[in-house]
Amino acid sequence: MGLQRPVLATVALLAACAALAQTPPPAPAPPAETHAATEPAAAVSPGELKAQREFKMLDFNGDGKLSRSEVKLFPRLAAAFDEADTDGDGFVSYA
């Protein structure tokens, strides 16, 4: 029971960050003529950065995806695993 509140807060945070990440950024100004290799990468929102950090924190082995064993300590995440594993491969990727 002691972990339920932090887990719920983490789930809510990840859901909020994911929702923020889905908001399209404002349209950029037309680019000046430059070489593609020298153009800066698209800006990432603070919410997206936070969601990425939270995901990486749960990805204990650093393989870029969450396995059932990585979320087993978080009952609410473990309970939602099958729903989040949309392709049924046994993993949940950030995308």
Side-chain angles (χ1 to χ4, degrees):
M1 283 267 213
L3 286 178
Q4 286 183 345
R5 285 189 180 172
V7 170
L8 182 58
T10 301
V11 170
L13 176 64
L14 287 173
C17 291
L20 286 173
Q22 304 229 353
T23 304
E33 291 200 25
T34 59
H35 188 270
T38 62
E39 291 181 20
V44 178
S45 72
E48 178 75 13
L49 289 174
K50 192 168 187 173
Q52 289 173 356
R53 281 193 304 266
E54 295 289 335
F55 186 90
K56 287 180 183 179
M57 183 180 70
L58 293 171
D59 182 15
F60 297 123
N61 64 2
D63 65 354
K65 52 191 175 184
L66 300 179
S67 66
R68 193 175 299 280
S69 65
E70 288 172 314
V71 300
K72 71 180 177 184
L73 296 175
F74 305 96
R76 291 190 187 264
L77 293 176
F81 190 87
D82 289 330
E83 185 178 341
D85 181 14
T86 56
D87 63 3
D89 68 351
F91 297 97
V92 175
S93 67
Y94 183 78

